[in-house]
Amino acid sequence: MSINTPGSRNLFQSLLKGAKTLSQLTQAHAQVILHGFQNDLSNVTKLAHKLSEFNDMNYARDLFSSVPKPDLFLFNVLIRGFSNNDMPHSSIFLYTHLRKRTYLKPDNFTYSFVISAAGSTCFDHRISALLHGHAIVDGYGDDMFVGAALVDLYFKFSCVEFARKVFDRICDRDTVLWNTMISGLLKNSCFEDSVLVFGDMVRNGGTRLNSTSVAAVLPAVAELQELRLGMEIQCLGLKLGFHDHVYVLTGLLSFYSKCGEIERAKSLFRDIGRPDLISCNAMISGYTCNGEIESSVRLFQELLASRERVNSSTIVGLIPVFYPLGHLQLTTCIHGFCLKSGIISNSSVSTALTTVYSRLDEIEAARQLFDESSEKSLASWNAMIAGYTQNGLTEEAISLFQKMQTSKVIPNPVTVTSILSACAQLGALSLGKWVHGLVKSRNFESNIYVSTALIDMYAKCGNIVEAQELFDLMPQKTEVTWNAMISGYGLHGHGQEALKLFSEMLHSGIQPSGVTFLSALYACSHAGLVKEGNEIFQSMIHDHGFEPLPEHYACMVDILGRAGQLEKALKFIKGLPVDPGPAVWGALLGACMIHKDTNLARVASEKLFELDPENVGYYVLLSNIYSAERRYPQAASVRQVVRKRKLAKTPGCTLIEVDGAPHVFTSGDRLHPQSTAIYSKLEELNGKMREAGFQTETITALHDVEEEEKELMVKVHSEKLAIAFGLITTEPGSEIRIIKNLRVCLDCHTATKFISKITGRIIVVRDANRFHHFKDGVCSCGDYW
DNA sequence: TTAGGGTTAG
């Protein structure tokens, strides 16, 4: 047969198809050119397809450029090739190129390929809407393949609702589409929904389950800690014949270890017989998160000794993220190994290490790791930002968030959750509102972490109504969501609302946690509800079988103490089944301060100096109590200790936002550009307040100086400066909101009541403990704080 | 199929 006969075309095709290496492929191509078949589209397409499998997209691109009139098939091969070879820009570029060709129209293959390219992290959510629109216009909006790609794309951008809408519209669903939905929901933390969709799939007999479906749902079941359900799924897998499938066995192993059933996990690991790297990784991680660190390290060493190479997952599973206490040494050791082996350059590994360091309070080590990592993934940024917020370094968190924005890294729900927490801690309402806008525009509202963090942010920034509205709108709530709302009410002194919500929560079948009881108890404390607090405490132990933690005991002391029942509080402490810790004695000391009980204060302080000698707050409290009783020599000697031991007192400061800009004041400071106006406003107010019968309260001032001098010092407490500033810079009649880092002092509290009456303003003060809403000379706390 | 980043009390 001559090489130029029509049959030779098939010969080239089989030559191309059979090429096992790039060089064989090149030789085949040379033959094609030699015989003048280079413009035969079918040859070129086959070649391009092969090239994309061999990861040589530059060669494929050159080939494509040499074709004068490419057809749709060739376009599709290239678009998919670029997408599969991590060249999403080229893929999308070619798609736009294709749309310009009037003789061609994209089909469902084109859309499914280009949509999968658009899921790359270098794009944002806007591209999804654009491509979705194109697909609908061309009549592929409800196509099964395009649908699966779209669902996947929306999940990648955390647009859960859009993914769901696309899924719901497609009547004809295949296994891949169902599986995409199950794992997409899982990746977006919608664990219940993921399990529900799996259930629908099982009931929908028309679509066959495969082993991927079973393996995909197991992590969601593990998150929900539904041990029984997992076992049922295991039985289902057995019935369908997936019991010896390594995918499924590994998934089950991981499921059981996450549910704390480490023995079952070990037995499954033995069943696997010849475990691959992935199942070993799952086992290592299982050992680690069940605290069996030694077994974990042993299996890791066995892996290293065998010829099997470890990968980043091995290391990440080995890092004891969940049991970090006391594991600094192991962490440094793993870190050392990662440096030596070069695996540190993997962003998953450095992210995991960043997290552990920050949980171990080694925030500088975490930051160094973050700074040194060459390739920062979204997760790396999130880990560092979360590390800061969890350690109370809120300003660092926000500044890193801003740096992330300038680095063009697009925040996801995880980022947003951490930033909202930082806003809540700081009381940064403007930034919080801005983030809320971002949440709306990106459709993150359905994310349960995000909406819970929003509720907490609004509650802590003083906007309890907004928090409540968001709470009421949430279709699904976790125990944490309820806790955030209960404690929000508590902070604002709305004790009854908090208790109503608490009982609603119990009736709705949500399991309360230790934090739930604590939130309810603090709500009682802020509202002076002694009887109710006591009932909740008893019910926690007897009806719900909770062993109280030191925090719960401390809260009970707080409730009794604030209500003035100091003797009862002391009796309660003496009757405790465990040694009372600093929190318990601290609560008693705080109560002694409110009710001016010097004798009991001394008892509490002595315990505290012993238990927590570095904490300067207790010295300050005791000294204040002595001053209040005019026992100045005693007060002075307490302060002497503070000075001698070089313990620093936290300076008081107050923040006020005007037109979105924060202004911070410290006691007596004259640094503000409008300082003169502020002080003269304060003078004017003082005059009016004296006329109205206000007398400066000095007893809680720290210093035992002359009365007159003391009066001067109290006058310029930071909250007063902030209020005066608020009065001169905001519209008459508008609300003034300030945030103080310490507990508000008695003098400022009384003065604020007067100011609210004189000026006709509502003044909202957030102090270290709670909110005070001042209106018409009265405070919402009922002078109870 | 494994692993890395998130919310609630004080």
Side-chain angles (χ1 to χ4, degrees):
Chain A
M1 183 176 66
S2 152
I3 202 117
N4 269 336
T5 59
S8 63
R9 193 175 153 200
N10 292 336
L11 179 68
F12 291 129
Q13 292 257 339
S14 58
L15 262 179
L16 291 169
K17 205 173 166 187
K20 295 241 169 2
T21 61
L22 192 59
S23 89
Q24 283 176 6
L25 195 64
T26 321
Q27 281 168 18
H29 187 206
Q31 288 288 324
V32 170
I33 297 170
L34 194 68
H35 294 95
F37 278 98
Q38 65 269 36
N39 289 335
D40 181 310
L41 272 178
S42 125
N43 277 334
V44 172
T45 309
K46 177 88 346 236
L47 184 59
H49 183 82
K50 272 287 191 190
L51 285 168
S52 70
E53 279 178 4
F54 288 134
N55 313 102
D56 197 338
M57 287 313 292
N58 289 328
Y59 192 164
R61 192 202 307 262
D62 289 345
L63 188 70
F64 179 83
S65 318
S66 70
V67 177
K69 200 175 175 189
D71 63 0
L72 184 62
F73 198 24
L74 183 57
F75 263 103
N76 284 350
V77 165
L78 264 287
I79 290 172
R80 174 162 66 169
F82 285 129
S83 174
N84 289 348
N85 283 283
D86 207 17
M87 297 168 79
H89 284 105
S90 305
S91 183
I92 294 198
F93 177 77
L94 202 60
Y95 163 76
T96 53
H97 198 53
L98 162 66
R99 288 183 66 87
K100 284 183 200 147
R101 305 273 170 131
T102 45
Y103 66 97
L104 291 177
K105 239 183 116 193
D107 64 2
N108 53 347
F109 287 101
T110 322
Y111 280 114
S112 65
F113 301 151
V114 74
I115 288 170
S116 81
S120 158
T121 47
C122 54
F123 300 116
D124 69 14
H125 62 293
R126 283 170 297 189
I127 203 156
S128 336
L130 188 78
L131 291 173
H132 191 180
H134 288 173
I136 291 172
V137 170
D138 283 341
Y140 299 113
D142 300 332
D143 180 271
M144 198 202 298
F145 295 105
V146 178
L150 275 170
V151 168
D152 198 38
L153 181 68
Y154 280 127
F155 276 131
K156 276 189 183 139
F157 290 121
S158 311
C159 301
V160 178
E161 287 315 309
F162 287 162
R164 206 189 295 269
K165 275 185 191 148
V166 174
F167 179 77
D168 288 343
R169 281 185 61 94
I170 301 167
C171 320
D172 191 18
R173 298 167 185 158
D174 65 349
T175 308
V176 173
L177 181 58
W178 282 98
N179 291 351
T180 305
M181 195 66 194
I182 293 168
S183 63
L185 286 166
L186 170 78
K187 282 174 205 147
N188 282 277
S189 316
C190 304
F191 308 117
E192 279 175 44
D193 290 336
S194 177
V195 173
L196 286 174
V197 170
F198 179 79
D200 287 344
M201 189 184 183
V202 173
R203 277 185 293 278
N204 179 323
T207 321
R208 264 193 298 149
L209 279 165
N210 61 10
S211 56
T212 307
S213 328
V214 174
V217 77
L218 282 171
V221 186
E223 282 293 332
L224 297 169
Q225 294 286 296
E226 295 271 6
L227 187 58
R228 269 201 77 84
L229 182 61
M231 287 170 160
E232 281 165 24
I233 292 174
Q234 183 176 22
C235 293
L236 181 73
L238 201 70
K239 222 165 78 183
L240 295 170
F242 307 144
H243 53 282
D244 55 353
H245 213 296
V246 182
Y247 279 30
V248 177
L249 285 172
T250 306
L252 282 167
L253 182 169
S254 177
F255 163 76
Y256 282 118
S257 63
K258 282 180 194 157
C259 288
E261 299 279 322
I262 186 70
E263 292 309 319
R264 281 178 196 269
K266 286 181 197 167
S267 132
L268 278 160
F269 188 61
R270 282 191 295 269
D271 288 349
I272 293 177
R274 297 191 55 161
D276 61 1
L277 179 59
I278 292 177
S279 35
C280 288
N281 289 350
M283 196 64 238
I284 287 177
S285 157
Y287 282 133
T288 308
C289 67
N290 281 280
E292 298 196 11
I293 303 291
E294 276 174 29
S295 308
S296 185
V297 173
R298 199 178 319 120
L299 184 54
F300 172 66
Q301 284 167 338
E302 279 169 26
L303 256 183
L304 278 183
S306 74
R307 270 176 300 168
E308 185 99 62
R309 275 172 58 88
V310 300
N311 65 10
S312 63
S313 304
T314 323
I315 305 293
V316 174
L318 187 63
I319 298 171
V321 176
F322 299 108
Y323 288 86
L325 292 175
H327 288 310
L328 182 58
Q329 210 187 346
L330 177 60
T331 306
T332 358
C333 188
I334 298 170
H335 190 175
F337 172 83
C338 294
L339 283 171
K340 224 166 68 188
S341 64
I343 211 163
I344 194 76
S345 63
N346 181 293
S347 88
S348 310
V349 171
S350 69
T351 303
L353 282 168
T354 305
T355 304
V356 186
Y357 277 127
S358 72
R359 292 202 186 152
L360 289 166
D361 249 356
E362 301 282 334
I363 198 80
E364 273 157 30
R367 180 62 195 245
Q368 198 186 344
L369 204 61
F370 174 79
D371 286 337
E372 284 168 357
S373 64
S374 50
E375 203 188 302
K376 291 181 184 61
S377 66
L378 180 55
S380 329
W381 287 92
N382 288 344
M384 198 59 232
I385 292 173
Y388 281 135
T389 45
Q390 287 162 359
N391 283 285
L393 301 165
T394 46
E395 272 150 78
E396 282 85 347
I398 288 170
S399 118
L400 194 62
F401 175 63
Q402 281 157 349
K403 200 172 162 202
M404 176 179 168
Q405 307 266 86
T406 53
S407 310
K408 301 261 184 282
V409 180
I410 297 159
N412 73 348
V414 178
T415 329
V416 163
T417 305
S418 287
I419 288 302
L420 284 172
S421 165
C423 293
Q425 289 177 50
L426 264 176
L429 184 60
S430 299
L431 181 59
K433 279 185 176 165
W434 182 85
V435 176
H436 191 183
L438 182 81
V439 167
K440 285 183 187 158
S441 73
R442 298 288 307 276
N443 295 294
F444 292 163
E445 284 145 311
S446 59
N447 183 298
I448 218 145
Y449 286 93
V450 170
S451 40
T452 303
L454 271 172
I455 289 171
D456 182 54
M457 183 277 289
Y458 277 116
K460 292 215 178 96
C461 291
N463 204 335
I464 191 76
V465 177
E466 180 78 36
Q468 188 189 328
E469 280 169 8
L470 284 170
F471 181 83
D472 291 340
L473 282 173
M474 275 175 79
Q476 284 181 339
K477 301 173 180 89
T478 63
E479 163 248 327
V480 179
T481 319
W482 289 86
N483 294 350
M485 196 63 228
I486 292 170
S487 71
Y489 278 136
L491 273 181
H492 287 266
H494 300 176
Q496 294 301 346
E497 279 92 336
L499 294 187
K500 208 176 130 221
L501 204 63
F502 174 65
S503 90
E504 226 178 274
M505 175 181 177
L506 297 183
H507 285 113
S508 71
I510 306 258
Q511 276 299 317
S513 69
V515 175
T516 312
F517 287 105
L518 211 52
S519 308
L521 288 173
Y522 270 107
C524 292
S525 156
H526 290 310
L529 305 172
V530 182
K531 191 172 123 272
E532 291 84 346
N534 203 31
E535 281 166 12
I536 291 174
F537 185 72
Q538 294 304 329
S539 150
M540 171 176 107
I541 301 168
H542 300 113
D543 305 335
H544 295 91
F546 271 77
E547 179 87 23
L549 296 170
E551 296 94 309
H552 295 103
Y553 292 129
C555 196
M556 280 313 290
V557 172
D558 192 62
I559 290 178
L560 294 167
R562 274 178 208 273
Q565 304 181 8
L566 291 172
E567 285 306 317
K568 265 198 185 167
L570 187 63
K571 214 173 132 198
F572 178 84
I573 295 176
K574 289 195 170 148
L576 288 183
V578 293
D579 271 346
V584 170
W585 290 111
L588 186 66
L589 184 62
C592 292
M593 173 70 217
I594 299 171
H595 298 286
K596 306 188 183 74
D597 187 327
T598 332
N599 290 331
L600 202 51
R602 204 171 332 102
V603 177
S605 319
E606 271 164 20
K607 291 282 183 191
L608 284 165
F609 296 158
E610 205 178 287
L611 292 166
D612 193 3
E614 298 302 310
N615 194 324
V616 70
Y618 306 133
Y619 293 90
V620 175
L621 263 179
L622 183 63
S623 152
N624 285 352
I625 294 169
Y626 280 128
S627 297
E629 296 226 316
R630 295 172 191 273
R631 294 166 75 171
Y632 297 129
Q634 286 90 339
S637 78
V638 172
R639 290 199 310 282
Q640 187 73 28
V641 178
V642 176
R643 269 195 296 274
K644 239 186 185 162
R645 306 199 38 210
K646 295 201 170 97
L647 298 171
K649 172 181 175 282
T650 314
C653 66
T654 304
L655 175 132
I656 180 167
E657 274 186 13
V658 174
D659 295 329
H663 300 260
V664 180
F665 294 91
T666 51
S667 188
D669 94 45
R670 288 183 179 271
L671 298 168
H672 196 277
Q674 281 166 268
S675 195
T676 319
I678 292 169
Y679 277 88
S680 69
K681 183 73 192 175
L682 216 48
E683 267 316 300
E684 179 201 320
L685 282 172
N686 280 331
K688 288 186 182 163
M689 278 156 58
R690 265 194 300 274
E691 278 170 30
F694 172 73
Q695 275 188 325
T696 299
E697 173 80 61
T698 51
I699 53 166
T700 47
L702 181 59
H703 304 270
D704 54 334
V705 285
E706 290 304 309
E707 281 297 313
E708 201 180 56
E709 196 186 337
K710 258 194 285 183
E711 192 172 326
L712 276 174
M713 295 179 76
V714 187
K715 258 187 207 162
V716 289
H717 265 175
S718 60
E719 47 265 63
K720 287 190 186 144
L721 293 174
I723 291 172
F725 177 68
L727 285 170
I728 57 178
T729 48
T730 59
E731 287 292 313
S734 63
E735 202 172 274
I736 293 176
R737 291 164 179 269
I738 62 169
I739 296 163
K740 182 161 193 212
N741 64 338
L742 307 173
R743 220 179 119 242
V744 62
C745 81
L746 183 57
D747 180 68
C748 285
H749 194 264
T750 314
T752 312
K753 286 202 273 186
F754 275 88
I755 297 173
S756 75
K757 189 164 176 74
I758 293 164
T759 59
R761 297 273 198 128
I762 293 176
I763 302 171
V764 182
V765 179
R766 186 183 104 174
D767 75 3
N769 278 341
R770 60 167 296 152
F771 275 94
H772 304 257
H773 295 251
F774 296 91
K775 190 187 171 190
D776 207 21
V778 182
C779 179
S780 64
C781 76
D783 300 336
Y784 202 90
W785 81 98

